Amino acid sequence: MATIFSQIISGEIPSDIVFRDDRVTAFRDINPSAPTHILIVPNKEIATVDDVTGEDEALLGHMIVVAKDIARKEGISESGYRLIINCKSDGGQEIFHLHMHLLGGKRLGPMLAK
Ligand code: 5GP
């Protein structure tokens, strides 16, 4: 079954898309945790990091390059930002379509809540 992110990528569900190419789509998180909170999502449906294969290596590297370019456009390259990929339940993953969070625009604090 298509995930909600696949429906966003196909345009079935509207979203604030900031970047798109043949491999990834990036759009603003509907419930942002920081002034900049963008999700970078492979167009190909991969459920979790645990489902990644060697064939996906270039795609995953591309996601980081896209994140860096978006951060620059968002004006947060100098102040810095955080990239997060949650995996399965202990990782806090809610949507089972692999995605990278780009967060910035404020001091994000410690990496994990104690
Ligand atoms: P996860 O917890 O799986 O790493 O992150 C899922 C993220 O997707 C959450 O930050 C949540 O706010 C965001 N999200 C869930 N549904 C939608 C949606 O329909 N549109 C957008 N733009 N973001 C969504």
Side-chain angles (χ1 to χ4, degrees):
M1 199 182 84
T3 66
I4 194 156
F5 287 173
S6 283
Q7 292 175 291
I8 287 172
I9 290 163
S10 70
E12 273 173 75
I13 292 180
S15 71
D16 188 353
I17 291 176
V18 298
F19 177 83
R20 183 205 293 279
D21 69 10
D22 58 333
R23 288 185 281 173
V24 302
T25 303
F27 48 90
R28 293 189 194 279
D29 197 292
I30 203 166
N31 184 22
S33 300
T36 294
H37 188 170
I38 290 167
L39 303 172
I40 296 131
V41 188
N43 295 338
K44 168 185 173 183
E45 224 174 87
I46 302 169
T48 78
V49 170
D50 192 46
D51 299 294
V52 161
T53 71
E55 276 183 18
D56 301 318
E57 273 182 14
L59 172 62
L60 294 167
H62 183 59
M63 287 168 67
I64 294 185
V65 173
V66 167
K68 180 211 75 173
D69 290 344
I70 293 172
R72 205 162 279 275
K73 287 195 194 108
E74 291 284 310
I76 58 172
S77 293
E78 297 303 320
S79 51
Y81 48 89
R82 186 172 292 162
L83 301 176
I84 298 174
I85 303 178
N86 296 320
C87 181
K88 296 186 179 174
S89 55
D90 276 4
Q93 184 175 4
E94 289 169 10
I95 308 284
F96 279 64
H97 183 149
L98 191 149
H99 51 281
M100 179 183 284
H101 296 253
L102 165 62
L103 294 150
K106 70 169 188 180
R107 288 256 172 177
L108 295 170
M111 196 160 67
L112 296 174
K114 301 260 179 195

